Amino acid sequence: MIGMKDFVKRIGNKAGNGAQIIVVGGLTGLFAGIVVTLYNMLASMTEEFAAGYYGFFRDHPAFIPLLFLALALGSVVIGGVLKFLPIIRGSGIPQTEGATRGLIRYKWWQVLPATFAASLFTIFMGLSAGSEGPSLTIGGACGYGTSDLLKRNATVRRYQITGGACAGLAVAFNAPLTGMAFAFEEAHKRFTPEVFICAFSSVIVAVLTRNLLRPLMGFGVDAVFSTFEFAVDPSDFSFYLYVLFAAIVCSVAAVGFYFLLFLSKKAFQKITFFKGVGKMLVPFLAAGAFGLITVYAIGGGHGFISELGSGASGLNRIFSSPLWATLLIVVALKIAATVLNVGAGVPCGIFIPMLAVGAGLGALLTLACTAMGMNPAYADVLIMICMSVFFTTVVKAPITGIVMVVELTWNFTFLLPAILGVAIGYITGDVFRTEPLYDKLLDDLIEEGRKREVKRKITVRLRVLAGTIAAGRTVRDVLWPAGARITALEHEGESIVPDGNSALFAGDVLTVVGETSNEEDYLGLLATTVGELIDTEKE
């Protein structure tokens, strides 16, 4: 009998790095599939429970002071946790992206249970909190843990964090293509064979694990939003005009939402009450007020989005208001709650809340377009497109946005108008010069980290060895350590200044310049990627 570590090592030695990534990726997918499936089932039950007890308080207003007392105590609990473990602030997606790029390191055995528990707690307290962002974070931590437990090198660890994160998102949505698109478009912003292999192996195993476990626990495996019905006539070009109008309005609203998020972050930085823990009072108490107004303010927004579909029973009206007023109130509350959560750094997901805002705006625009003459049968299509447009404008991940709405509905009939809407959203974001949301949040985290970490400049010369990741590839196709720059390339005795298209061959000598706060990890990643370390020079 041999241990799992020895088995993986033997596979890697016999079949190369790709086979090793497949094996470790499959183990990552199994680990992430089990943990994230459990997390999402608990999140669903917790959200239902929160909606139930908020209903009790609406029916028995004399007990409402007890609700706000509990919320105040809950804010202190979460604020205290973040004081000791600030890495779990927010949805965790920026931290996970930073880990995949080698910009951030964390202790996975702390992040995994802390994110699991803290995000469930915020859902239990009735905040507008989604489970998809934390699912991605938990999956990434599973990948981190798998590589560490098997003692894989820094290169494999980055791939497995990517695979775990993709698996977490795929399990949360039952959308494997969306998970894989995230790997290329968000996590690494590039396509390499290794990224594809780790994403593919992790996602497939994770989704299969999910679809095996959920029926055993009494949960379904259907499309997330099955209440939507689609009927688009390809020859009806007037619909594209309505898509154009709705996409412009929705994307402009998304830009406003984007800037509100960062204004909120700046405002909350000035709150130092109770050593900064007091800032959690604002989103928690606001959540209590919002939850008493409507059940749709609680949780991520799955129920709200589903009720917008023509196959659903319809929205519960707020204060017996007309449909447009109910939609407007829900959208406003979702925006306010999400802005407050991000500003304070509440450990909860904003992925689904953003989609809920986009879907609500889409429903409002559908009412307007129908009044202008649009065929009512196109209503569900337009709502889905607006949801994708809002997400794309804020996150600036158009491929993920398109693939996501198709997988969430299991319908391809509206692909062309969805592409048109997403393109409008992406262009609008560029016009207003917005950065991708998670990249901007990651930059803020890194800037905070620079104040605590001391980085040293290091210059390394390496020889490319046959069989390594770099051998036979161009510079742009190699996953280099964060911040590393290839300043010189010696090929067959000739020294050249390399660019992204420069090919690397066995025997070439590279000069790599970069900054790092973890020299051992940095050099280990370079050696694994390129081959032989010749010499180093530190400053």
Side-chain angles (χ1 to χ4, degrees):
M1 294 291 292
I2 64 173
M4 183 58 70
K5 289 185 288 186
D6 294 329
F7 171 73
V8 172
K9 185 176 181 180
R10 290 185 184 182
I11 290 291
N13 290 339
K14 290 181 179 180
N17 193 61
Q20 180 184 163
I21 293 175
I22 290 175
V23 174
V24 182
L27 294 173
T28 293
L30 180 62
F31 187 13
I34 293 171
V35 176
V36 177
T37 298
L38 174 63
Y39 168 76
N40 275 274
M41 290 189 294
L42 288 174
S44 178
M45 292 186 290
T46 301
E47 185 173 328
E48 289 183 13
F49 181 78
Y53 78 73
Y54 266 84
F56 169 83
F57 285 113
R58 279 192 295 271
D59 295 336
H60 302 83
F63 293 99
I64 287 178
L66 293 178
L67 170 65
F68 284 97
L69 176 60
L71 287 166
L73 293 174
S75 71
V76 173
V77 170
I78 290 296
V81 171
L82 295 181
K83 198 72 177 174
F84 290 100
L85 199 60
I87 190 68
I88 68 168
R89 285 180 301 172
S91 69
I93 293 179
Q95 294 92 316
T96 304
E97 288 189 4
T100 65
R101 301 174 196 173
L103 298 170
I104 291 177
R105 290 195 68 182
Y106 56 74
K107 297 175 181 177
W108 69 269
W109 43 268
Q110 290 181 337
V111 169
L112 196 160
T115 300
F116 195 109
S119 58
L120 283 180
F121 184 78
T122 60
I123 296 173
F124 174 79
M125 298 303 290
L127 274 71
S128 177
S131 60
E132 285 68 24
S135 294
L136 189 149
T137 303
I138 292 168
C142 289
Y144 204 135
T146 302
S147 63
D148 273 9
L149 292 172
L150 295 176
K151 299 189 182 302
R152 298 298 90 194
N153 57 54
T155 302
V156 175
R157 182 176 66 230
R158 287 174 65 184
Y159 288 132
Q160 295 317 313
I161 295 172
T162 302
C166 298
L169 186 61
V171 167
F173 279 132
N174 192 24
L177 292 178
T178 301
M180 294 179 66
F182 174 87
F184 308 131
E185 194 171 35
E186 268 296 303
H188 290 287
K189 298 190 181 297
R190 67 172 71 185
F191 178 91
T192 68
E194 286 79 14
V195 172
F196 174 79
I197 290 170
C198 79
F200 176 83
S201 57
S202 299
V203 164
I204 292 300
V205 174
V207 173
L208 288 174
T209 302
R210 171 199 187 272
N211 292 343
L212 176 65
L213 291 178
R214 283 179 67 91
L216 295 177
M217 302 297 292
F219 288 80
V221 295
D222 296 334
V224 176
F225 302 124
S226 57
T227 58
F228 288 80
E229 300 173 359
F230 305 104
V232 178
D233 182 0
S235 64
D236 187 358
F237 292 101
S238 65
F239 177 62
Y240 291 89
L241 297 178
Y242 293 114
V243 170
L244 183 63
F245 164 72
I248 292 172
V249 174
C250 198
S251 59
V252 170
V255 169
F257 171 80
Y258 174 92
F259 286 114
L260 278 176
L261 291 177
F262 291 100
L263 284 175
S264 177
K265 280 178 62 69
K266 290 182 180 179
F268 272 94
Q269 288 172 358
K270 299 176 182 178
I271 299 177
T272 57
F273 169 65
F274 198 26
K275 296 183 179 180
V277 173
K279 70 176 63 176
M280 289 292 154
L281 275 171
V282 179
F284 271 75
L285 296 181
F290 298 163
L292 291 173
I293 293 173
T294 174
V295 68
Y296 298 127
I298 297 171
H302 296 88
F304 172 64
I305 297 173
S306 293
E307 290 297 331
L308 297 177
S310 58
S313 57
L315 290 177
N316 296 320
R317 304 301 172 88
I318 301 174
F319 309 130
S320 300
S321 61
L323 178 58
W324 66 267
T326 294
L327 289 169
L328 194 59
I329 293 171
V330 174
V331 168
L333 293 180
K334 276 292 182 185
I335 289 175
T338 305
V339 166
L340 293 176
N341 289 346
V342 171
V346 178
C348 65
I350 64 170
F351 204 107
I352 270 285
M354 280 194 298
L355 297 183
V357 171
L361 287 172
L364 282 167
L365 290 166
T366 294
L367 294 177
C369 290
T370 302
M372 290 187 290
M374 186 185 78
N375 187 339
Y378 297 160
D380 286 7
V381 175
L382 195 61
I383 291 172
M384 282 287 110
I385 291 173
C386 287
M387 188 171 77
S388 181
V389 169
F390 192 90
F391 171 84
T392 299
T393 306
V394 176
V395 180
K396 303 199 83 170
I399 296 175
T400 303
I402 293 169
V403 173
M404 178 176 60
V405 294
V406 169
E407 278 198 296
L408 291 183
T409 58
W410 289 2
N411 195 292
F412 292 83
T413 58
F414 61 97
L415 186 59
L416 187 57
I419 292 173
L420 172 63
V422 164
I424 296 298
Y426 191 86
I427 292 169
T428 302
D430 274 353
V431 169
F432 286 93
R433 298 184 179 181
T434 61
E435 300 177 44
L437 174 64
Y438 295 122
D439 283 359
K440 176 64 175 171
L441 293 173
L442 175 59
D443 289 343
D444 291 347
L445 280 173
I446 293 172
E447 186 59 34
E448 293 174 16
R450 286 198 182 107
K451 298 175 182 178
R452 299 189 299 267
E453 292 184 348
V454 177
K455 289 191 175 184
R456 299 181 62 185
K457 184 176 180 181
I458 183 169
T459 302
V460 185
R461 295 182 73 240
L462 307 100
R463 180 173 288 104
V464 180
L465 298 182
T468 58
I469 295 172
R473 296 192 178 173
T474 61
V475 170
R476 73 169 74 251
D477 291 331
V478 177
L479 184 65
W480 300 103
R485 293 178 293 110
I486 316 302
T487 59
L489 168 62
E490 299 173 32
H491 177 68
E492 296 181 349
E494 181 182 357
S495 182
I496 61 175
V497 178
D499 57 26
N501 295 318
S502 299
L504 305 176
F505 300 98
D508 289 355
V509 175
L510 302 178
T511 301
V512 183
V513 178
E515 289 185 338
T516 181
S517 59
N518 189 323
E519 181 181 331
E520 180 182 356
D521 203 47
Y522 181 83
L523 293 177
L525 182 56
L526 281 176
T528 303
T529 304
V530 179
E532 178 187 359
L533 288 172
I534 299 175
D535 58 60
T536 62
E537 180 180 332
K538 307 170 188 176
E539 295 183 16

